[in-house]
Short mmCIF file of all heavy atoms in Angstrom, two decimals:
data_model
loop_
_atom_site.label_atom_id
_atom_site.label_comp_id
_atom_site.label_asym_id
_atom_site.label_seq_id
_atom_site.Cartn_x
_atom_site.Cartn_y
_atom_site.Cartn_z
N MET A 1 -19.11 -0.51 -23.03
CA MET A 1 -19.04 -1.73 -22.25
C MET A 1 -20.40 -1.94 -21.59
O MET A 1 -20.89 -1.07 -20.89
CB MET A 1 -17.93 -1.62 -21.21
CG MET A 1 -17.73 -2.86 -20.42
SD MET A 1 -16.40 -2.78 -19.23
CE MET A 1 -15.01 -3.01 -20.27
N ASP A 2 -20.97 -3.08 -21.82
CA ASP A 2 -22.26 -3.36 -21.22
C ASP A 2 -22.11 -4.24 -19.97
O ASP A 2 -21.02 -4.69 -19.63
CB ASP A 2 -23.23 -3.97 -22.23
CG ASP A 2 -22.74 -5.32 -22.75
OD1 ASP A 2 -21.61 -5.70 -22.46
OD2 ASP A 2 -23.53 -5.99 -23.45
N ILE A 3 -23.22 -4.47 -19.33
CA ILE A 3 -23.21 -5.19 -18.05
C ILE A 3 -22.73 -6.63 -18.20
O ILE A 3 -22.09 -7.18 -17.30
CB ILE A 3 -24.60 -5.12 -17.38
CG1 ILE A 3 -24.55 -5.59 -15.93
CG2 ILE A 3 -25.62 -5.94 -18.15
CD1 ILE A 3 -23.88 -4.64 -15.03
N ASP A 4 -23.00 -7.25 -19.33
CA ASP A 4 -22.55 -8.64 -19.54
C ASP A 4 -21.03 -8.74 -19.57
O ASP A 4 -20.45 -9.68 -19.02
CB ASP A 4 -23.14 -9.20 -20.84
CG ASP A 4 -24.64 -9.41 -20.76
OD1 ASP A 4 -25.13 -9.62 -19.63
OD2 ASP A 4 -25.31 -9.35 -21.81
N GLN A 5 -20.37 -7.75 -20.15
CA GLN A 5 -18.91 -7.76 -20.20
C GLN A 5 -18.32 -7.56 -18.81
O GLN A 5 -17.32 -8.18 -18.46
CB GLN A 5 -18.41 -6.68 -21.14
CG GLN A 5 -18.67 -6.98 -22.59
CD GLN A 5 -18.27 -5.83 -23.48
OE1 GLN A 5 -18.30 -4.68 -23.07
NE2 GLN A 5 -17.88 -6.16 -24.71
N VAL A 6 -18.96 -6.71 -18.02
CA VAL A 6 -18.50 -6.48 -16.65
C VAL A 6 -18.64 -7.75 -15.83
O VAL A 6 -17.74 -8.13 -15.07
CB VAL A 6 -19.27 -5.31 -16.00
CG1 VAL A 6 -18.92 -5.18 -14.54
CG2 VAL A 6 -19.02 -4.01 -16.75
N VAL A 7 -19.76 -8.44 -15.96
CA VAL A 7 -19.99 -9.68 -15.23
C VAL A 7 -18.97 -10.74 -15.63
O VAL A 7 -18.48 -11.50 -14.78
CB VAL A 7 -21.44 -10.18 -15.45
CG1 VAL A 7 -21.63 -11.58 -14.89
CG2 VAL A 7 -22.43 -9.21 -14.83
N GLU A 8 -18.62 -10.80 -16.89
CA GLU A 8 -17.61 -11.75 -17.35
C GLU A 8 -16.23 -11.46 -16.78
O GLU A 8 -15.43 -12.36 -16.55
CB GLU A 8 -17.53 -11.74 -18.88
CG GLU A 8 -18.70 -12.38 -19.56
CD GLU A 8 -18.61 -12.28 -21.08
OE1 GLU A 8 -17.52 -11.95 -21.60
OE2 GLU A 8 -19.62 -12.52 -21.75
N MET A 9 -15.93 -10.19 -16.52
CA MET A 9 -14.61 -9.80 -16.01
C MET A 9 -14.51 -9.87 -14.49
O MET A 9 -13.41 -9.78 -13.94
CB MET A 9 -14.28 -8.37 -16.48
CG MET A 9 -14.06 -8.32 -17.97
SD MET A 9 -13.78 -6.67 -18.68
CE MET A 9 -13.26 -5.64 -17.39
N LEU A 10 -15.61 -10.03 -13.79
CA LEU A 10 -15.60 -10.06 -12.33
C LEU A 10 -14.65 -11.08 -11.72
O LEU A 10 -13.94 -10.76 -10.75
CB LEU A 10 -17.00 -10.26 -11.77
CG LEU A 10 -17.85 -9.00 -11.63
CD1 LEU A 10 -19.23 -9.36 -11.12
CD2 LEU A 10 -17.19 -7.96 -10.78
N PRO A 11 -14.56 -12.30 -12.23
CA PRO A 11 -13.61 -13.25 -11.62
C PRO A 11 -12.15 -12.77 -11.68
O PRO A 11 -11.34 -13.19 -10.87
CB PRO A 11 -13.79 -14.52 -12.45
CG PRO A 11 -15.15 -14.42 -13.03
CD PRO A 11 -15.39 -12.95 -13.24
N PHE A 12 -11.83 -11.91 -12.60
CA PHE A 12 -10.48 -11.38 -12.70
C PHE A 12 -10.32 -10.10 -11.89
O PHE A 12 -9.23 -9.81 -11.37
CB PHE A 12 -10.12 -11.09 -14.17
CG PHE A 12 -10.23 -12.30 -15.04
CD1 PHE A 12 -11.28 -12.45 -15.92
CD2 PHE A 12 -9.28 -13.32 -14.96
CE1 PHE A 12 -11.40 -13.57 -16.71
CE2 PHE A 12 -9.38 -14.45 -15.75
CZ PHE A 12 -10.44 -14.58 -16.63
N LEU A 13 -11.39 -9.32 -11.79
CA LEU A 13 -11.31 -8.04 -11.09
C LEU A 13 -11.34 -8.18 -9.57
O LEU A 13 -10.66 -7.43 -8.86
CB LEU A 13 -12.46 -7.13 -11.53
CG LEU A 13 -12.41 -6.64 -12.97
CD1 LEU A 13 -13.65 -5.83 -13.30
CD2 LEU A 13 -11.15 -5.82 -13.20
N ILE A 14 -12.10 -9.11 -9.05
CA ILE A 14 -12.24 -9.25 -7.59
C ILE A 14 -10.90 -9.54 -6.91
O ILE A 14 -10.57 -8.88 -5.92
CB ILE A 14 -13.32 -10.31 -7.25
CG1 ILE A 14 -14.69 -9.75 -7.64
CG2 ILE A 14 -13.28 -10.68 -5.77
CD1 ILE A 14 -15.83 -10.73 -7.51
N PRO A 15 -10.09 -10.48 -7.39
CA PRO A 15 -8.79 -10.69 -6.73
C PRO A 15 -7.88 -9.46 -6.81
O PRO A 15 -7.15 -9.18 -5.86
CB PRO A 15 -8.17 -11.87 -7.49
CG PRO A 15 -9.30 -12.55 -8.14
CD PRO A 15 -10.33 -11.51 -8.40
N LEU A 16 -7.94 -8.72 -7.90
CA LEU A 16 -7.13 -7.51 -8.01
C LEU A 16 -7.56 -6.45 -7.01
O LEU A 16 -6.72 -5.78 -6.40
CB LEU A 16 -7.20 -6.95 -9.43
CG LEU A 16 -6.51 -7.78 -10.50
CD1 LEU A 16 -6.74 -7.18 -11.87
CD2 LEU A 16 -5.02 -7.89 -10.21
N VAL A 17 -8.85 -6.30 -6.82
CA VAL A 17 -9.36 -5.33 -5.86
C VAL A 17 -8.99 -5.75 -4.44
O VAL A 17 -8.58 -4.91 -3.62
CB VAL A 17 -10.89 -5.17 -6.01
CG1 VAL A 17 -11.48 -4.36 -4.87
CG2 VAL A 17 -11.22 -4.52 -7.35
N VAL A 18 -9.10 -7.03 -4.13
CA VAL A 18 -8.72 -7.52 -2.80
C VAL A 18 -7.24 -7.30 -2.55
O VAL A 18 -6.84 -6.85 -1.46
CB VAL A 18 -9.10 -9.02 -2.65
CG1 VAL A 18 -8.50 -9.61 -1.39
CG2 VAL A 18 -10.61 -9.17 -2.65
N LEU A 19 -6.40 -7.57 -3.55
CA LEU A 19 -4.96 -7.34 -3.42
C LEU A 19 -4.66 -5.86 -3.20
O LEU A 19 -3.86 -5.51 -2.34
CB LEU A 19 -4.24 -7.85 -4.66
CG LEU A 19 -2.73 -7.63 -4.71
CD1 LEU A 19 -2.05 -8.44 -3.63
CD2 LEU A 19 -2.20 -7.99 -6.08
N GLU A 20 -5.30 -5.00 -3.97
CA GLU A 20 -5.09 -3.57 -3.83
C GLU A 20 -5.48 -3.06 -2.45
O GLU A 20 -4.73 -2.33 -1.80
CB GLU A 20 -5.89 -2.83 -4.90
CG GLU A 20 -5.77 -1.34 -4.81
CD GLU A 20 -6.66 -0.63 -5.83
OE1 GLU A 20 -7.04 -1.26 -6.83
OE2 GLU A 20 -6.95 0.55 -5.60
N LEU A 21 -6.65 -3.46 -1.98
CA LEU A 21 -7.11 -3.03 -0.65
C LEU A 21 -6.23 -3.60 0.46
O LEU A 21 -5.94 -2.91 1.44
CB LEU A 21 -8.56 -3.44 -0.44
CG LEU A 21 -9.58 -2.66 -1.26
CD1 LEU A 21 -10.98 -3.24 -1.06
CD2 LEU A 21 -9.56 -1.19 -0.90
N GLY A 22 -5.78 -4.85 0.29
CA GLY A 22 -4.89 -5.43 1.29
C GLY A 22 -3.58 -4.68 1.38
O GLY A 22 -3.11 -4.37 2.49
N LEU A 23 -2.98 -4.38 0.24
CA LEU A 23 -1.73 -3.60 0.25
C LEU A 23 -1.94 -2.23 0.88
O LEU A 23 -1.12 -1.76 1.67
CB LEU A 23 -1.22 -3.42 -1.18
CG LEU A 23 -0.39 -4.53 -1.77
CD1 LEU A 23 -0.14 -4.27 -3.25
CD2 LEU A 23 0.92 -4.68 -1.04
N LEU A 24 -3.05 -1.59 0.54
CA LEU A 24 -3.35 -0.26 1.07
C LEU A 24 -3.47 -0.30 2.59
O LEU A 24 -2.84 0.50 3.30
CB LEU A 24 -4.65 0.25 0.45
CG LEU A 24 -5.14 1.59 0.95
CD1 LEU A 24 -4.35 2.72 0.29
CD2 LEU A 24 -6.61 1.76 0.68
N VAL A 25 -4.24 -1.22 3.11
CA VAL A 25 -4.47 -1.30 4.56
C VAL A 25 -3.18 -1.66 5.30
O VAL A 25 -2.84 -1.02 6.31
CB VAL A 25 -5.60 -2.33 4.87
CG1 VAL A 25 -5.67 -2.63 6.35
CG2 VAL A 25 -6.92 -1.81 4.36
N ILE A 26 -2.44 -2.64 4.81
CA ILE A 26 -1.20 -3.05 5.48
C ILE A 26 -0.18 -1.91 5.47
O ILE A 26 0.48 -1.65 6.48
CB ILE A 26 -0.64 -4.33 4.82
CG1 ILE A 26 -1.57 -5.50 5.11
CG2 ILE A 26 0.77 -4.64 5.33
CD1 ILE A 26 -1.27 -6.74 4.29
N ALA A 27 -0.05 -1.22 4.34
CA ALA A 27 0.91 -0.11 4.26
C ALA A 27 0.50 1.03 5.18
O ALA A 27 1.35 1.62 5.85
CB ALA A 27 1.03 0.37 2.81
N LEU A 28 -0.78 1.36 5.23
CA LEU A 28 -1.23 2.45 6.11
C LEU A 28 -1.01 2.11 7.58
O LEU A 28 -0.56 2.95 8.36
CB LEU A 28 -2.70 2.78 5.85
CG LEU A 28 -2.99 3.54 4.56
CD1 LEU A 28 -4.49 3.68 4.36
CD2 LEU A 28 -2.32 4.90 4.57
N ILE A 29 -1.33 0.88 7.96
CA ILE A 29 -1.10 0.47 9.35
C ILE A 29 0.38 0.54 9.68
O ILE A 29 0.77 1.02 10.74
CB ILE A 29 -1.66 -0.96 9.58
CG1 ILE A 29 -3.18 -0.92 9.56
CG2 ILE A 29 -1.16 -1.54 10.91
CD1 ILE A 29 -3.84 -2.29 9.57
N ASP A 30 1.23 0.09 8.76
CA ASP A 30 2.67 0.10 9.01
C ASP A 30 3.21 1.52 9.14
O ASP A 30 3.98 1.80 10.05
CB ASP A 30 3.40 -0.64 7.88
CG ASP A 30 4.87 -0.82 8.19
OD1 ASP A 30 5.18 -1.66 9.07
OD2 ASP A 30 5.70 -0.12 7.58
N VAL A 31 2.81 2.41 8.25
CA VAL A 31 3.34 3.78 8.31
C VAL A 31 2.85 4.51 9.57
O VAL A 31 3.58 5.31 10.15
CB VAL A 31 3.00 4.57 7.03
CG1 VAL A 31 1.57 5.01 6.98
CG2 VAL A 31 3.91 5.79 6.90
N ILE A 32 1.65 4.22 10.02
CA ILE A 32 1.14 4.87 11.23
C ILE A 32 1.84 4.35 12.48
O ILE A 32 2.18 5.11 13.38
CB ILE A 32 -0.40 4.69 11.32
CG1 ILE A 32 -1.06 5.53 10.23
CG2 ILE A 32 -0.92 5.07 12.69
CD1 ILE A 32 -2.53 5.23 10.03
N ARG A 33 2.10 3.06 12.54
CA ARG A 33 2.73 2.46 13.73
C ARG A 33 4.23 2.70 13.80
O ARG A 33 4.81 2.68 14.88
CB ARG A 33 2.48 0.96 13.76
CG ARG A 33 1.07 0.61 14.11
CD ARG A 33 0.93 -0.87 14.24
NE ARG A 33 -0.42 -1.22 14.65
CZ ARG A 33 -0.85 -2.45 14.77
NH1 ARG A 33 -0.05 -3.46 14.49
NH2 ARG A 33 -2.09 -2.69 15.15
N ARG A 34 4.87 2.88 12.66
CA ARG A 34 6.33 3.01 12.61
C ARG A 34 6.78 4.35 13.17
O ARG A 34 6.17 5.38 12.89
CB ARG A 34 6.80 2.84 11.16
CG ARG A 34 8.27 2.65 11.02
CD ARG A 34 8.59 2.19 9.63
NE ARG A 34 8.13 0.82 9.41
CZ ARG A 34 8.84 -0.25 9.72
NH1 ARG A 34 10.03 -0.13 10.24
NH2 ARG A 34 8.36 -1.46 9.51
N GLU A 35 7.85 4.33 13.97
CA GLU A 35 8.37 5.57 14.55
C GLU A 35 9.00 6.46 13.50
O GLU A 35 8.80 7.67 13.51
CB GLU A 35 9.40 5.26 15.64
CG GLU A 35 8.80 4.67 16.89
CD GLU A 35 9.86 4.40 17.93
OE1 GLU A 35 10.91 5.08 17.92
OE2 GLU A 35 9.64 3.51 18.75
N LYS A 36 9.79 5.88 12.61
CA LYS A 36 10.50 6.66 11.59
C LYS A 36 10.23 6.09 10.21
O LYS A 36 10.17 4.88 10.03
CB LYS A 36 12.01 6.62 11.83
CG LYS A 36 12.49 7.45 12.96
CD LYS A 36 14.01 7.43 12.98
CE LYS A 36 14.57 8.42 13.97
NZ LYS A 36 16.03 8.46 13.92
N VAL A 37 10.07 7.00 9.26
CA VAL A 37 9.98 6.62 7.86
C VAL A 37 11.01 7.46 7.11
O VAL A 37 11.50 8.46 7.62
CB VAL A 37 8.57 6.86 7.28
CG1 VAL A 37 7.57 5.92 7.89
CG2 VAL A 37 8.14 8.30 7.43
N THR A 38 11.34 7.05 5.90
CA THR A 38 12.31 7.79 5.10
C THR A 38 11.80 9.20 4.88
O THR A 38 10.66 9.41 4.47
CB THR A 38 12.53 7.09 3.75
OG1 THR A 38 12.97 5.76 4.01
CG2 THR A 38 13.55 7.81 2.92
N GLY A 39 12.64 10.17 5.15
CA GLY A 39 12.26 11.56 5.00
C GLY A 39 11.56 12.14 6.22
O GLY A 39 11.27 13.33 6.26
N ASN A 40 11.29 11.31 7.21
CA ASN A 40 10.62 11.72 8.45
C ASN A 40 9.32 12.48 8.19
O ASN A 40 8.98 13.40 8.91
CB ASN A 40 11.55 12.56 9.33
CG ASN A 40 12.65 11.73 9.93
OD1 ASN A 40 12.47 10.55 10.21
ND2 ASN A 40 13.81 12.33 10.10
N ASN A 41 8.59 12.12 7.15
CA ASN A 41 7.33 12.79 6.85
C ASN A 41 6.26 11.75 6.55
O ASN A 41 6.07 11.32 5.41
CB ASN A 41 7.51 13.73 5.66
CG ASN A 41 6.41 14.75 5.58
OD1 ASN A 41 5.35 14.58 6.18
ND2 ASN A 41 6.67 15.82 4.86
N LYS A 42 5.54 11.36 7.59
CA LYS A 42 4.52 10.32 7.46
C LYS A 42 3.37 10.77 6.57
O LYS A 42 2.79 9.97 5.84
CB LYS A 42 3.99 9.93 8.83
CG LYS A 42 4.95 9.12 9.65
CD LYS A 42 4.29 8.68 10.94
CE LYS A 42 5.23 7.82 11.75
NZ LYS A 42 4.56 7.23 12.90
N VAL A 43 3.03 12.06 6.62
CA VAL A 43 1.90 12.56 5.83
C VAL A 43 2.15 12.36 4.34
O VAL A 43 1.26 11.95 3.60
CB VAL A 43 1.64 14.06 6.15
CG1 VAL A 43 0.55 14.61 5.25
CG2 VAL A 43 1.27 14.22 7.60
N VAL A 44 3.36 12.63 3.89
CA VAL A 44 3.69 12.45 2.48
C VAL A 44 3.57 10.98 2.09
O VAL A 44 3.02 10.64 1.03
CB VAL A 44 5.11 12.98 2.17
CG1 VAL A 44 5.54 12.61 0.77
CG2 VAL A 44 5.16 14.48 2.38
N TRP A 45 4.06 10.08 2.95
CA TRP A 45 3.96 8.65 2.64
C TRP A 45 2.50 8.19 2.63
O TRP A 45 2.11 7.39 1.80
CB TRP A 45 4.78 7.83 3.63
CG TRP A 45 6.24 7.87 3.30
CD1 TRP A 45 7.22 8.48 3.99
CD2 TRP A 45 6.87 7.28 2.15
NE1 TRP A 45 8.43 8.32 3.36
CE2 TRP A 45 8.24 7.58 2.23
CE3 TRP A 45 6.41 6.54 1.08
CZ2 TRP A 45 9.14 7.16 1.26
CZ3 TRP A 45 7.31 6.12 0.12
CH2 TRP A 45 8.66 6.42 0.21
N ILE A 46 1.69 8.69 3.55
CA ILE A 46 0.28 8.32 3.57
C ILE A 46 -0.41 8.78 2.29
O ILE A 46 -1.18 8.04 1.68
CB ILE A 46 -0.42 8.88 4.83
CG1 ILE A 46 0.09 8.14 6.07
CG2 ILE A 46 -1.94 8.77 4.72
CD1 ILE A 46 -0.37 8.73 7.39
N LEU A 47 -0.13 10.01 1.87
CA LEU A 47 -0.71 10.51 0.62
C LEU A 47 -0.25 9.69 -0.58
O LEU A 47 -1.05 9.36 -1.47
CB LEU A 47 -0.35 11.98 0.42
CG LEU A 47 -1.07 12.96 1.34
CD1 LEU A 47 -0.51 14.37 1.14
CD2 LEU A 47 -2.56 12.94 1.10
N LEU A 48 1.02 9.33 -0.61
CA LEU A 48 1.55 8.52 -1.70
C LEU A 48 0.85 7.16 -1.74
O LEU A 48 0.45 6.68 -2.81
CB LEU A 48 3.06 8.33 -1.54
CG LEU A 48 3.71 7.48 -2.61
CD1 LEU A 48 4.31 8.39 -3.68
CD2 LEU A 48 4.75 6.58 -2.02
N ILE A 49 0.68 6.56 -0.58
CA ILE A 49 0.03 5.24 -0.50
C ILE A 49 -1.42 5.32 -0.97
O ILE A 49 -1.88 4.46 -1.72
CB ILE A 49 0.11 4.70 0.95
CG1 ILE A 49 1.56 4.34 1.28
CG2 ILE A 49 -0.80 3.50 1.15
CD1 ILE A 49 1.80 4.10 2.76
N VAL A 50 -2.13 6.34 -0.55
CA VAL A 50 -3.56 6.44 -0.87
C VAL A 50 -3.79 6.88 -2.32
O VAL A 50 -4.66 6.34 -3.01
CB VAL A 50 -4.26 7.41 0.11
CG1 VAL A 50 -5.69 7.68 -0.32
CG2 VAL A 50 -4.23 6.85 1.52
N LEU A 51 -3.01 7.83 -2.80
CA LEU A 51 -3.25 8.39 -4.12
C LEU A 51 -2.76 7.50 -5.27
O LEU A 51 -3.32 7.53 -6.36
CB LEU A 51 -2.62 9.77 -4.24
CG LEU A 51 -3.24 10.84 -3.34
CD1 LEU A 51 -2.49 12.15 -3.49
CD2 LEU A 51 -4.71 11.03 -3.64
N PHE A 52 -1.70 6.74 -5.04
CA PHE A 52 -1.13 5.91 -6.10
C PHE A 52 -1.38 4.43 -5.80
O PHE A 52 -0.46 3.62 -5.83
CB PHE A 52 0.37 6.19 -6.26
CG PHE A 52 0.65 7.57 -6.71
CD1 PHE A 52 1.03 8.55 -5.82
CD2 PHE A 52 0.50 7.91 -8.04
CE1 PHE A 52 1.29 9.83 -6.24
CE2 PHE A 52 0.75 9.19 -8.48
CZ PHE A 52 1.15 10.16 -7.57
N GLN A 53 -2.61 4.08 -5.59
CA GLN A 53 -3.12 2.82 -5.11
C GLN A 53 -2.15 1.63 -5.07
O GLN A 53 -1.65 1.30 -4.02
CB GLN A 53 -4.36 2.45 -5.90
CG GLN A 53 -5.50 3.36 -5.60
CD GLN A 53 -6.03 4.06 -6.83
OE1 GLN A 53 -5.70 3.70 -7.93
NE2 GLN A 53 -6.87 5.03 -6.63
N VAL A 54 -1.90 0.95 -6.14
CA VAL A 54 -1.08 -0.26 -6.09
C VAL A 54 0.41 0.10 -6.01
O VAL A 54 1.16 -0.50 -5.24
CB VAL A 54 -1.33 -1.15 -7.33
CG1 VAL A 54 -0.38 -2.32 -7.35
CG2 VAL A 54 -2.77 -1.64 -7.31
N ILE A 55 0.83 1.09 -6.75
CA ILE A 55 2.25 1.44 -6.81
C ILE A 55 2.70 2.12 -5.51
O ILE A 55 3.81 1.89 -5.05
CB ILE A 55 2.51 2.33 -8.03
CG1 ILE A 55 2.13 1.54 -9.24
CG2 ILE A 55 3.91 2.88 -8.04
CD1 ILE A 55 2.67 1.87 -10.53
N GLY A 56 1.84 2.95 -4.91
CA GLY A 56 2.20 3.66 -3.68
C GLY A 56 2.62 2.75 -2.54
O GLY A 56 3.69 2.93 -1.96
N PRO A 57 1.82 1.73 -2.19
CA PRO A 57 2.24 0.82 -1.13
C PRO A 57 3.52 0.05 -1.46
O PRO A 57 4.36 -0.16 -0.59
CB PRO A 57 1.06 -0.14 -0.98
CG PRO A 57 -0.11 0.62 -1.46
CD PRO A 57 0.41 1.50 -2.56
N ILE A 58 3.68 -0.34 -2.72
CA ILE A 58 4.89 -1.06 -3.10
C ILE A 58 6.12 -0.17 -2.95
O ILE A 58 7.14 -0.59 -2.40
CB ILE A 58 4.76 -1.61 -4.54
CG1 ILE A 58 3.68 -2.69 -4.58
CG2 ILE A 58 6.09 -2.15 -5.05
CD1 ILE A 58 3.29 -3.14 -5.97
N VAL A 59 6.01 1.09 -3.39
CA VAL A 59 7.13 2.04 -3.24
C VAL A 59 7.41 2.26 -1.77
O VAL A 59 8.58 2.33 -1.36
CB VAL A 59 6.81 3.37 -3.96
CG1 VAL A 59 7.81 4.45 -3.61
CG2 VAL A 59 6.76 3.15 -5.46
N TYR A 60 6.36 2.37 -0.94
CA TYR A 60 6.58 2.55 0.49
C TYR A 60 7.33 1.37 1.10
O TYR A 60 8.28 1.54 1.84
CB TYR A 60 5.25 2.74 1.23
CG TYR A 60 5.41 2.64 2.72
CD1 TYR A 60 6.07 3.64 3.43
CD2 TYR A 60 4.97 1.53 3.42
CE1 TYR A 60 6.25 3.53 4.80
CE2 TYR A 60 5.14 1.41 4.78
CZ TYR A 60 5.79 2.42 5.47
OH TYR A 60 5.99 2.31 6.81
N PHE A 61 6.91 0.14 0.76
CA PHE A 61 7.57 -1.03 1.34
C PHE A 61 9.02 -1.16 0.88
O PHE A 61 9.85 -1.68 1.61
CB PHE A 61 6.79 -2.31 1.03
CG PHE A 61 5.54 -2.46 1.83
CD1 PHE A 61 4.31 -2.66 1.21
CD2 PHE A 61 5.57 -2.39 3.21
CE1 PHE A 61 3.15 -2.80 1.95
CE2 PHE A 61 4.41 -2.52 3.97
CZ PHE A 61 3.20 -2.72 3.33
N ILE A 62 9.34 -0.68 -0.31
CA ILE A 62 10.71 -0.77 -0.81
C ILE A 62 11.58 0.35 -0.28
O ILE A 62 12.71 0.12 0.17
CB ILE A 62 10.72 -0.78 -2.35
CG1 ILE A 62 10.06 -2.06 -2.86
CG2 ILE A 62 12.14 -0.67 -2.89
CD1 ILE A 62 9.84 -2.09 -4.36
N PHE A 63 11.07 1.60 -0.30
CA PHE A 63 11.91 2.76 0.01
C PHE A 63 11.54 3.50 1.29
O PHE A 63 12.38 4.22 1.84
CB PHE A 63 11.87 3.77 -1.15
CG PHE A 63 12.35 3.21 -2.45
CD1 PHE A 63 11.47 2.97 -3.48
CD2 PHE A 63 13.68 2.92 -2.63
CE1 PHE A 63 11.90 2.46 -4.69
CE2 PHE A 63 14.13 2.40 -3.83
CZ PHE A 63 13.24 2.17 -4.87
N GLY A 64 10.32 3.39 1.76
CA GLY A 64 9.84 4.25 2.84
C GLY A 64 10.12 3.77 4.25
O GLY A 64 10.18 4.57 5.17
N ARG A 65 10.28 2.49 4.43
CA ARG A 65 10.46 1.96 5.77
C ARG A 65 11.90 2.11 6.22
O ARG A 65 12.82 1.82 5.49
CB ARG A 65 10.07 0.49 5.80
CG ARG A 65 8.63 0.27 5.39
CD ARG A 65 8.33 -1.17 5.21
NE ARG A 65 8.30 -1.78 6.54
CZ ARG A 65 8.18 -3.07 6.75
NH1 ARG A 65 8.08 -3.89 5.75
NH2 ARG A 65 8.15 -3.54 7.96
N GLN A 66 12.08 2.56 7.45
CA GLN A 66 13.41 2.61 8.04
C GLN A 66 13.48 1.56 9.13
O GLN A 66 12.56 1.42 9.93
CB GLN A 66 13.69 3.99 8.65
CG GLN A 66 14.02 5.03 7.64
CD GLN A 66 14.49 6.31 8.34
OE1 GLN A 66 14.32 6.47 9.54
NE2 GLN A 66 15.03 7.21 7.56
N GLU A 67 14.59 0.84 9.15
CA GLU A 67 14.76 -0.16 10.21
C GLU A 67 15.04 0.52 11.53
O GLU A 67 15.80 1.48 11.60
CB GLU A 67 15.91 -1.10 9.87
CG GLU A 67 15.59 -2.07 8.78
CD GLU A 67 16.67 -3.10 8.61
OE1 GLU A 67 17.44 -3.33 9.56
OE2 GLU A 67 16.74 -3.67 7.53
N THR A 68 14.44 0.01 12.57
CA THR A 68 14.73 0.48 13.92
C THR A 68 15.45 -0.65 14.65
O THR A 68 15.61 -1.74 14.13
CB THR A 68 13.43 0.85 14.67
OG1 THR A 68 12.60 -0.31 14.75
CG2 THR A 68 12.69 1.97 13.95
N GLU A 69 15.84 -0.40 15.86
CA GLU A 69 16.54 -1.42 16.65
C GLU A 69 15.66 -2.64 16.84
O GLU A 69 16.14 -3.76 16.82
CB GLU A 69 16.94 -0.84 18.01
CG GLU A 69 17.97 0.28 17.93
CD GLU A 69 19.29 -0.21 17.34
OE1 GLU A 69 19.70 -1.35 17.61
OE2 GLU A 69 19.90 0.56 16.57
N ILE A 70 14.36 -2.45 17.01
CA ILE A 70 13.46 -3.57 17.23
C ILE A 70 13.35 -4.42 15.97
O ILE A 70 13.30 -5.64 16.03
CB ILE A 70 12.06 -3.05 17.64
CG1 ILE A 70 12.17 -2.32 18.99
CG2 ILE A 70 11.05 -4.17 17.72
CD1 ILE A 70 10.92 -1.58 19.40
N ASP A 71 13.33 -3.77 14.78
CA ASP A 71 13.20 -4.50 13.53
C ASP A 71 14.41 -5.41 13.26
O ASP A 71 14.28 -6.43 12.61
CB ASP A 71 13.05 -3.53 12.34
CG ASP A 71 11.74 -2.77 12.39
OD1 ASP A 71 10.82 -3.27 13.04
OD2 ASP A 71 11.67 -1.69 11.79
N ARG A 72 15.56 -5.04 13.72
CA ARG A 72 16.78 -5.79 13.44
C ARG A 72 16.89 -7.07 14.24
O ARG A 72 17.62 -7.96 13.89
CB ARG A 72 18.01 -4.92 13.72
CG ARG A 72 18.11 -3.79 12.71
CD ARG A 72 19.37 -3.00 12.94
NE ARG A 72 19.27 -1.78 12.17
CZ ARG A 72 19.76 -0.63 12.54
NH1 ARG A 72 20.41 -0.53 13.67
NH2 ARG A 72 19.62 0.43 11.78
N ASP A 73 16.19 -7.16 15.36
CA ASP A 73 16.28 -8.35 16.22
C ASP A 73 15.55 -9.52 15.63
O ASP A 73 14.70 -9.49 14.85
CB ASP A 73 15.72 -8.07 17.61
CG ASP A 73 16.61 -7.07 18.35
OD1 ASP A 73 17.79 -6.95 17.98
OD2 ASP A 73 16.09 -6.43 19.27
#
């Protein structure tokens, strides 16, 4: 792959990178601020979010968050 091919793909890659970083940051902020997460192990969720870039945050938002009394209001 040469530089011309990379330049041609940039319009498609930039939105994907922005989406990935946005999911990563939002998921990390949420897991750090949340009192309880599934399994009561924040370190495992943080590692999952960071190591499995796009899939990790999605899995966290689906399975990792536990509702608290404040969330239900």
Side-chain angles (χ1 to χ4, degrees):
M1 184 178 282
D2 63 352
I3 192 72
D4 291 333
Q5 289 175 331
V6 173
V7 170
E8 288 177 14
M9 292 176 20
L10 276 178
F12 302 105
L13 292 176
I14 291 174
L16 291 176
V17 170
V18 169
L19 177 66
E20 178 184 339
L21 289 175
L23 276 172
L24 177 79
V25 169
I26 292 168
L28 286 174
I29 289 171
D30 188 73
V31 75
I32 290 169
R33 287 185 177 176
R34 193 167 290 273
E35 289 181 27
K36 285 186 171 184
V37 292
T38 302
N40 289 328
N41 199 342
K42 288 185 177 188
V43 175
V44 172
W45 282 111
I46 291 172
L47 288 174
L48 179 97
I49 291 167
V50 172
L51 294 177
F52 295 100
Q53 291 123 12
V54 174
I55 300 202
I58 293 170
V59 169
Y60 168 71
F61 285 126
I62 294 172
F63 300 110
R65 301 171 71 186
Q66 283 188 347
E67 287 188 22
T68 60
E69 295 297 323
I70 296 171
D71 293 337
R72 291 184 193 146
D73 293 338

